[in-house]
Amino acid sequence: MARTPKPLIRTDIAYSTPDRIVVRGKDLPNEVLGHMNLGDFAFLQLTGKAATREQSAMFNAILITLVEHGMTPSAIAARMTYAGAPESLQAAVAAGLCGLGSVFVGSMEGACRMLSEALPDAQGGAAHADLEQIARDTVAAYRARGASVPGLGHPLHKPVDPRTPRLFQLAAENGMSGAYVRLMQLIGAEAERVSGKSLPINATGAIGAICCEFGFPWRIVRGFGVMARAIGLVGHLMEEGEKPMAIEIWQRIEDEASAHLRGEA
Amino acid sequence: MARTPKPLIRTDIAYSTPDRIVVRGKDLPNEVLGHMNLGDFAFLQLTGKAATREQSAMFNAILITLVEHGMTPSAIAARMTYAGAPESLQAAVAAGLCGLGSVFVGSMEGACRMLSEALPDAQGGAAHADLEQIARDTVAAYRARGASVPGLGHPLHKPVDPRTPRLFQLAAENGMSGAYVRLMQLIGAEAERVSGKSLPINATGAIGAICCEFGFPWRIVRGFGVMARAIGLVGHLMEEGEKPMAIEIWQRIEDEASAHLRGEA
Amino acid sequence: MARTPKPLIRTDIAYSTPDRIVVRGKDLPNEVLGHMNLGDFAFLQLTGKAATREQSAMFNAILITLVEHGMTPSAIAARMTYAGAPESLQAAVAAGLCGLGSVFVGSMEGACRMLSEALPDAQGGAAHADLEQIARDTVAAYRARGASVPGLGHPLHKPVDPRTPRLFQLAAENGMSGAYVRLMQLIGAEAERVSGKSLPINATGAIGAICCEFGFPWRIVRGFGVMARAIGLVGHLMEEGEKPMAIEIWQRIEDEASAHLRGEA
Amino acid sequence: MARTPKPLIRTDIAYSTPDRIVVRGKDLPNEVLGHMNLGDFAFLQLTGKAATREQSAMFNAILITLVEHGMTPSAIAARMTYAGAPESLQAAVAAGLCGLGSVFVGSMEGACRMLSEALPDAQGGAAHADLEQIARDTVAAYRARGASVPGLGHPLHKPVDPRTPRLFQLAAENGMSGAYVRLMQLIGAEAERVSGKSLPINATGAIGAICCEFGFPWRIVRGFGVMARAIGLVGHLMEEGEKPMAIEIWQRIEDEASAHLRGEA
C-alpha cells in the first residue's frame, strides 16, 4: 500500500485567503483582535493553544520581566547601530538582539534545562521524586565540573532579587508552583549551604523554573527573552532618537582607547 | 549665573537598586507584574505613560496584527539562519528582523508619515480642516511624482483587507476614530476614483492612521512592526526546530539556480 | 513561436560538481587558489571578470582603506554583542555591520551617486563635458536644498584627509584618474569657494569618485565598506577576546545614565 | 610602591591624528595603500604583524576558499533580507552572516580546536609526538561519545574534496605542512579505517589544520569564514539587485507550506 510522502515544506502556523487571515486556527480579525492581549497572542503563536486565564497571567508576567534591563550591552549596541543607520531601525533592534546569548540570557535557558533534565515529565502534576536528593545531586554535579549553577546569584540584587518572590507568588496564585519551582528553591538552598555564599534565585532562575511548569522545551526559552527584549530595544531607540547618547559614548571611548597610541597616556 | 551642563549620557527609562527595579517610574515587581499585559507594558516602555483601557485595547490589537504574516521573506531568512546556527536563536530572530525595511513594513511608516504631515496636530481632538480637499491634494501629489499612495492595495486581500474594517471598528469603539482615520478613508476613496482601480485600505494603512490618532511620531511606527514580528519569528523557529524545512528549501534552490552552469538546463 | 520562459531562480556566480568548484567560470582550486589575492577574488566575485594589474592595485587599496576606522560605533556594537554571546562571533560581526548605513558609509555611496548622475557614461574614456559647469551646478543644487555635498569635510582630518592624495595618486598611476576624479576635485573646490569653509575631499569622496572610474553602480558601493569592515570587526573581536573592554564600558554607561533616576545626580 | 592601574578601555589596533592614520603601527596611506593586498592587510589587522611572502600566499588562499559556497542558506537569507530592505544592504549582509554558526562554519573551528588540543605548541617546529597514536586516540574519543570527527566527509565532494589537495600543496610550498597537517591526515585515515566509510578531509578540515600551523587560536578561526563570506554575500546581493530570485522563492514557499491549511493539499 502506498504511503503518503512526508511533506517537506509545511507550516502549521498561519494561512491567508483573499478574505481571511487565520493564525493557529483562529480568524485573526474576528476571533483575535479585540479579544486577546499581546502576551496571549504570543502564547497562541508559540503553542497553538489559547492561554487559560492562569497561563495568560503568568506568561504575560514572564515576558514583561524580560523587556527592560537598563542600559545593557544589548541596548548600547542597538543605540550605536541606530546612530549609524537611523533609516534602518529594524537593523538596530537586530544588532541589539544578537548579543542575547550564553552570557546574558543563557542562564534562563540553563536553569530550564537543568530542571527539566533533572526531573523529566513532572509538568502538570505532582512529582513523587525525592526533590531534596535531586537538588543535592544537581548541585554536586555542577560543583564537580567547576560550573556555576544557572539561575542563582546576581551582582546587584542582594540578598534577594526582588522579581523572584513576586514571580513565585504569581506562580502560586495561578496553579504553577509545582515540582520545578520547588526543585529550584531546593537547589538554591543547597548551593548556598555548600558554598557558604549568598546565592539568591535570580529572575532567570525563577523564569526557568516556571517555564518548566508550563512544559516549554528548554531550547525555546531563550526566545522569550529575545522577543521581550525587542520591545525594550524599540523603547531605547525611541529615546535615542530624541535624546541621543551614542555619539558621546563613541567619542569618549575613541579618545580613551587610543590615547596611549597617540602618545597621550 | 552658571547653567547646569546638559547631561550627555542619560536615560529616563529604567533604573535598579539592590532591592528595586523601576521602569518608567513604576516598581516592576509590585506595580507591573500581575497587573499589566505585555502590550500595555510595551506602551509604558515606549511612551512613559500607563495605557488607558481604550489605549490598551487598541494598542494590543495593533501589535497583534503585526505578529504573524505567514511564510514571509523574513520568516524564511530566520529559518535559514537557524539551520546554520541553532545554538544562536537570537541571531536567527535578528536575521529575520533585518529585512523589515522599506518594502514590507515601510508602508505602515509611510501612511503614518503621509497623514501626520498632511494634518499636523489633529491628534486628540476634532480637526476643522477640509479633509476632502486635503485628500485630493495628497493623492494628487503622490500621482504627480509617480509614487504609490502608502497603505492602499494588497496583492491577495481583495476587494477588502479583512483586518481594516475590524481595526477601524476597534478604533471607533475606543474613541480613536478621529480625523486621521477619516482622512485615510478619504484618501483611499480618492485614489480609487482617480486611478479607476480597487485600492482597499490595507492593514498597514489602517495602523498608520490609528498610530496618528495615538500621536506616535512616524519614525517609531516601524518599531511596532519590528517588536511584534520578533514574537512571530520565535514561533517560526520553534516550528523549524520540530519540523524543519530550511534544508529542503536550500537544496531545491541550490539545484535549480545553478543547473544551467552544470550543463543540466 | 514558443518563447523560452525566463528562468526565475538562477545564479551565475558559482557551481559545484563532485570533483569541481567553479566560481565565475574559474576552477577554484586550480585557477584561483595560489594565483589570486583576496581583493582580486572579491573583484572576480562581484564583477565576473579577472582584475587587470591596475584594477587589482586600485581595488585592493580601496578595500583596505575601508577595513579599520578605529573605535567606531560599529566596533563598539560588535564588542558589546560579543560580550553577551562569545559563542556567536558571527552575530557580533553582524551586529557591527548593521550600523553601516546612511551616516557612516552613506557618504561614499552618496559621492558615487552624485558623480555618476552628474556625468553618466564617462567611465572608461575622456568626458568632453564642461566639468567646471557641472561642478558649479552640482554644488548649487545641494546648497539649494540645504544638503551637504557628500564626500567633503572630515571632523578630524583637516585641512587634508591623508588618504585622499594617496588614493588619487594610485588612481593616476593605474590609469583611473579620469573625469570623475577631476569632477570630484572641482566640486570640492567649488564647495569651498561658495561656503568659505575648508572642505577637503575625504576618503569616502575619493573612493566614490574612483568607484565611478571603475564603472561600479552606486548601489553596490556601500557593499565595499561592508565587506571590508567585516575584516576590521573580526580584528576588534579578537582583541576583545584577549583584552576585553565591553563590560567596563557597559558599567560606566549604566552608572552614569541612570544616576539621576537613582537620586545620585 | 604604587602600581599603575590596568587600563580598562584600550585598543592596540589603530589611531588617528589630523594628518595620520596608523593601523598596527603602519602609516595607512604611505606604508599600506599600494603596498599590500587585502588578504595581507587582514593578516596585519588580526595579528599585528606583516605577513611573510609565504604567509601571504597561504592566508590569501584560505580566505578565498571561504568566500563563495553557492546558494547556501546564508546567501538565501541575505537575498530574502535585501528584498525587504534594499536600502539597507549592510543589514542583508548581516542577516546572511548570522547563520555561520555550529552547522556550517563550525567544522573549521572544530578541526582547529581538535588539532590544537591534541597537539599543543607544535606550531612553528617539528613535533616529536607520536602522531599515529594521537590520531588513534582522537578518533576513538570522538567515536566513544558518538560524535563526528570535524573536518571529514562532504555530501557532494566524494571521494575527494578538490580544495583539500590544493590547500595542502600550497601549505607544503609555503613551509606550513607541519605536524598539524600530518595529524589531520592521520586522523582522516584512522577515521576511514575504523568506520569503513569514505571520509575525505574536506576544505574546513584542511583549513583548520593550516590555521594550527599559523598558530591561530581556534576561537578566531570562525572569524575567517565570517569575513570571507561577507565578500561572497555582497556578490550575491549585487546579483539579486540585477536578477532577483527572492520574491519568486518566497511565493513558492508560501504557496506550498500552507496549502494544506487552505484545504488545497
Side-chain angles (χ1 to χ4, degrees):
Chain A
M1 189 183 127
R3 292 205 334 136
T4 307
K6 188 180 161 204
L8 293 167
I9 296 182
R10 178 179 170 136
T11 181
D12 291 320
I13 298 176
Y15 72 97
S16 298
T17 61
D19 62 348
R20 297 191 73 200
I21 293 163
V22 180
V23 179
R24 296 293 194 184
K26 294 203 179 291
D27 182 283
L28 182 82
N30 299 305
E31 297 184 285
V32 175
L33 298 185
H35 302 292
M36 277 189 194
N37 64 54
L38 183 62
D40 292 358
F41 189 68
F43 190 88
L44 178 69
Q45 168 82 358
L46 267 63
T47 67
K49 293 177 190 147
T52 63
R53 196 177 56 75
E54 291 77 14
Q55 288 171 326
S56 168
M58 194 72 243
F59 194 59
N60 273 282
I62 286 174
L63 294 180
I64 287 172
T65 302
L66 297 165
V67 167
E68 171 57 40
H69 285 195
M71 290 297 309
T72 53
S74 164
I76 297 167
R79 287 172 180 258
M80 287 290 157
T81 304
Y82 195 56
E87 72 285 1
S88 304
L89 183 141
Q90 77 279 5
V93 175
L97 296 182
C98 279
L100 300 180
S102 61
V103 177
F104 291 121
V105 176
S107 59
M108 186 166 67
E109 184 179 287
C112 185
R113 183 178 190 175
M114 169 183 72
L115 297 169
S116 60
E117 291 180 349
L119 199 62
D121 302 319
Q123 191 268 329
H128 297 288
D130 181 346
L131 297 178
E132 296 197 2
Q133 185 61 46
I134 294 173
R136 283 191 295 270
D137 293 347
T138 300
V139 172
Y142 276 87
R143 286 176 68 86
R145 61 176 193 266
S148 303
V149 178
L152 300 182
H154 196 281
L156 174 64
H157 298 303
K158 299 174 188 169
V160 171
D161 183 327
R163 297 164 293 193
T164 298
R166 179 64 178 145
L167 286 165
F168 282 160
Q169 179 190 20
L170 289 168
E173 290 173 11
N174 290 291
M176 288 190 220
S177 188
Y180 292 110
V181 169
R182 182 74 191 127
L183 179 58
M184 189 74 222
Q185 292 168 327
L186 290 168
I187 286 173
E190 172 70 5
E192 290 200 325
R193 192 184 66 79
V194 298
S195 72
K197 288 192 284 189
S198 170
L199 287 172
I201 300 172
N202 60 39
T204 66
I207 290 173
I210 298 170
C211 284
C212 285
E213 300 287 345
F214 268 105
F216 289 125
W218 66 263
R219 286 185 191 280
I220 205 64
V221 166
R222 182 185 299 202
F224 302 157
V226 174
M227 64 200 209
R229 196 59 59 84
I231 296 172
L233 290 172
V234 175
H236 278 271
L237 296 176
M238 200 164 169
E239 186 178 75
E240 180 72 22
E242 292 161 5
K243 292 180 289 185
M245 68 172 75
I247 301 298
E248 173 71 17
I249 293 170
W250 165 36
Q251 289 174 346
R252 289 190 197 174
I253 294 173
E254 172 80 58
D255 282 353
E256 177 172 344
S258 61
H260 68 290
L261 295 175
R262 294 191 308 273
E264 296 168 13
Chain B
M1 190 184 129
R3 293 207 329 139
T4 306
K6 187 179 160 204
L8 292 168
I9 295 182
R10 176 177 170 138
T11 181
D12 291 320
I13 298 176
Y15 73 96
S16 296
T17 61
D19 62 348
R20 296 191 73 202
I21 294 162
V22 179
V23 179
R24 295 296 193 182
K26 294 203 178 292
D27 182 284
L28 182 82
N30 298 305
E31 297 184 285
V32 175
L33 298 185
H35 302 291
M36 278 189 194
N37 64 53
L38 183 62
D40 293 358
F41 189 66
F43 189 89
L44 178 69
Q45 168 83 356
L46 267 63
T47 68
K49 292 175 191 148
T52 63
R53 195 177 56 77
E54 291 78 14
Q55 288 171 326
S56 168
M58 194 73 243
F59 194 59
N60 274 282
I62 286 174
L63 294 180
I64 287 171
T65 302
L66 297 165
V67 166
E68 171 57 38
H69 286 196
M71 290 297 309
T72 54
S74 163
I76 297 167
R79 287 171 180 258
M80 287 289 156
T81 304
Y82 195 56
E87 72 285 0
S88 305
L89 184 141
Q90 76 280 4
V93 175
L97 296 182
C98 279
L100 300 180
S102 61
V103 177
F104 290 122
V105 176
S107 59
M108 185 165 68
E109 185 179 287
C112 185
R113 183 178 190 175
M114 171 182 72
L115 296 170
S116 60
E117 291 181 349
L119 198 62
D121 302 320
Q123 192 267 328
H128 298 287
D130 182 345
L131 296 178
E132 295 197 4
Q133 185 61 46
I134 294 173
R136 282 191 295 271
D137 294 348
T138 300
V139 172
Y142 276 85
R143 286 176 68 87
R145 60 176 196 267
S148 304
V149 178
L152 300 182
H154 196 281
L156 174 65
H157 298 304
K158 297 173 190 170
V160 171
D161 184 327
R163 297 163 293 192
T164 299
R166 179 64 178 146
L167 287 165
F168 283 160
Q169 179 190 18
L170 289 167
E173 290 174 10
N174 289 292
M176 288 190 218
S177 189
Y180 292 110
V181 169
R182 181 76 190 125
L183 180 58
M184 189 73 222
Q185 291 168 328
L186 290 169
I187 287 173
E190 171 70 5
E192 289 200 326
R193 192 185 65 79
V194 300
S195 73
K197 288 192 283 187
S198 170
L199 288 172
I201 300 173
N202 60 38
T204 66
I207 290 173
I210 298 170
C211 285
C212 285
E213 300 287 344
F214 269 105
F216 289 123
W218 66 262
R219 285 183 193 281
I220 204 63
V221 167
R222 182 184 300 203
F224 303 156
V226 173
M227 65 202 209
R229 196 60 59 84
I231 296 172
L233 289 172
V234 175
H236 279 271
L237 297 175
M238 199 163 169
E239 185 178 75
E240 180 72 22
E242 292 161 5
K243 292 180 289 182
M245 67 172 76
I247 300 299
E248 173 71 17
I249 293 170
W250 164 37
Q251 289 174 344
R252 289 191 197 174
I253 294 174
E254 172 80 57
D255 282 352
E256 178 174 344
S258 60
H260 69 290
L261 295 174
R262 293 191 309 272
E264 296 168 13
Chain C
M1 189 183 126
R3 293 202 335 136
T4 306
K6 188 181 160 200
L8 293 167
I9 297 181
R10 177 177 170 139
T11 181
D12 290 320
I13 299 177
Y15 72 96
S16 296
T17 62
D19 62 348
R20 296 191 72 200
I21 293 164
V22 180
V23 179
R24 296 293 194 184
K26 293 202 179 293
D27 183 283
L28 182 81
N30 299 306
E31 297 183 286
V32 176
L33 297 185
H35 302 291
M36 278 190 193
N37 64 52
L38 183 62
D40 292 358
F41 189 66
F43 189 88
L44 178 69
Q45 167 82 357
L46 267 63
T47 68
K49 291 175 191 150
T52 63
R53 196 178 56 78
E54 292 78 14
Q55 287 171 326
S56 168
M58 194 72 245
F59 194 59
N60 273 283
I62 287 175
L63 293 180
I64 287 172
T65 303
L66 297 165
V67 166
E68 171 58 37
H69 285 195
M71 289 296 310
T72 54
S74 164
I76 297 168
R79 286 171 180 257
M80 288 288 156
T81 304
Y82 195 56
E87 72 284 1
S88 304
L89 184 140
Q90 78 279 6
V93 175
L97 295 183
C98 278
L100 300 180
S102 61
V103 177
F104 291 121
V105 176
S107 58
M108 185 166 66
E109 184 179 286
C112 185
R113 182 178 189 174
M114 171 182 72
L115 297 169
S116 60
E117 290 180 349
L119 198 62
D121 304 317
Q123 192 267 327
H128 298 287
D130 182 345
L131 296 178
E132 295 197 3
Q133 184 60 46
I134 293 174
R136 282 191 297 270
D137 293 348
T138 300
V139 172
Y142 276 86
R143 286 176 68 86
R145 59 176 196 268
S148 304
V149 178
L152 299 183
H154 196 281
L156 175 64
H157 298 304
K158 300 173 189 168
V160 171
D161 183 327
R163 298 164 292 194
T164 299
R166 178 65 177 141
L167 287 165
F168 282 159
Q169 178 189 21
L170 289 168
E173 290 173 10
N174 289 291
M176 289 191 219
S177 190
Y180 292 110
V181 169
R182 181 77 190 123
L183 180 58
M184 189 73 222
Q185 291 167 326
L186 290 169
I187 286 173
E190 171 70 5
E192 290 199 325
R193 192 186 65 79
V194 298
S195 73
K197 288 191 285 189
S198 169
L199 288 171
I201 299 173
N202 59 39
T204 67
I207 290 173
I210 298 170
C211 285
C212 285
E213 300 287 345
F214 268 105
F216 289 125
W218 65 263
R219 287 184 190 281
I220 205 64
V221 167
R222 180 184 301 202
F224 302 156
V226 173
M227 63 200 210
R229 196 61 58 86
I231 296 172
L233 290 172
V234 174
H236 279 271
L237 296 175
M238 199 164 169
E239 185 178 74
E240 180 71 22
E242 292 161 5
K243 292 181 288 183
M245 67 172 75
I247 300 299
E248 173 71 17
I249 293 170
W250 164 37
Q251 289 174 346
R252 288 190 197 174
I253 294 173
E254 172 80 57
D255 282 353
E256 178 173 343
S258 61
H260 68 291
L261 295 175
R262 293 192 309 272
E264 295 168 15
Chain D
M1 189 184 128
R3 292 204 334 137
T4 305
K6 187 182 159 200
L8 293 167
I9 296 181
R10 176 178 171 137
T11 181
D12 291 321
I13 299 176
Y15 72 97
S16 296
T17 61
D19 61 349
R20 296 191 73 203
I21 293 164
V22 180
V23 179
R24 295 295 193 183
K26 294 205 178 290
D27 183 284
L28 182 81
N30 298 306
E31 297 183 286
V32 175
L33 298 186
H35 302 291
M36 277 190 194
N37 64 52
L38 182 63
D40 293 357
F41 189 66
F43 189 89
L44 178 69
Q45 168 81 357
L46 267 64
T47 68
K49 292 175 190 149
T52 63
R53 194 177 57 77
E54 292 78 14
Q55 288 172 325
S56 167
M58 194 71 244
F59 194 59
N60 273 284
I62 286 175
L63 293 180
I64 287 172
T65 303
L66 297 165
V67 166
E68 170 58 37
H69 286 196
M71 290 295 312
T72 55
S74 165
I76 297 168
R79 287 171 180 257
M80 287 288 155
T81 304
Y82 195 56
E87 72 283 2
S88 304
L89 184 142
Q90 77 280 6
V93 175
L97 296 182
C98 279
L100 300 179
S102 61
V103 177
F104 291 121
V105 176
S107 58
M108 184 165 69
E109 183 179 288
C112 185
R113 182 177 190 176
M114 171 182 73
L115 297 169
S116 60
E117 291 180 349
L119 199 61
D121 304 318
Q123 192 269 327
H128 298 289
D130 181 346
L131 296 178
E132 295 197 4
Q133 184 62 46
I134 293 174
R136 281 191 297 272
D137 293 348
T138 300
V139 172
Y142 277 87
R143 286 177 68 87
R145 59 178 196 267
S148 304
V149 178
L152 298 184
H154 196 283
L156 175 64
H157 297 304
K158 300 174 189 170
V160 171
D161 183 328
R163 298 164 291 193
T164 299
R166 178 65 177 144
L167 287 165
F168 282 160
Q169 179 190 19
L170 289 168
E173 290 173 11
N174 289 290
M176 287 190 221
S177 189
Y180 292 110
V181 169
R182 180 77 189 123
L183 179 58
M184 189 73 222
Q185 291 167 328
L186 291 168
I187 286 173
E190 172 70 5
E192 290 199 326
R193 192 185 65 80
V194 299
S195 73
K197 288 191 284 189
S198 170
L199 288 171
I201 300 173
N202 59 39
T204 66
I207 290 173
I210 299 169
C211 285
C212 285
E213 300 288 344
F214 269 104
F216 289 124
W218 64 263
R219 286 183 191 281
I220 205 63
V221 167
R222 181 185 301 202
F224 303 156
V226 173
M227 63 201 213
R229 195 61 57 86
I231 296 172
L233 290 172
V234 174
H236 278 271
L237 296 175
M238 198 164 171
E239 185 178 74
E240 180 71 22
E242 292 162 5
K243 292 180 289 183
M245 68 172 75
I247 300 298
E248 173 71 16
I249 293 170
W250 165 37
Q251 289 174 345
R252 288 190 198 175
I253 294 174
E254 172 80 57
D255 282 352
E256 178 173 343
S258 61
H260 68 290
L261 295 175
R262 292 192 309 272
E264 294 167 15

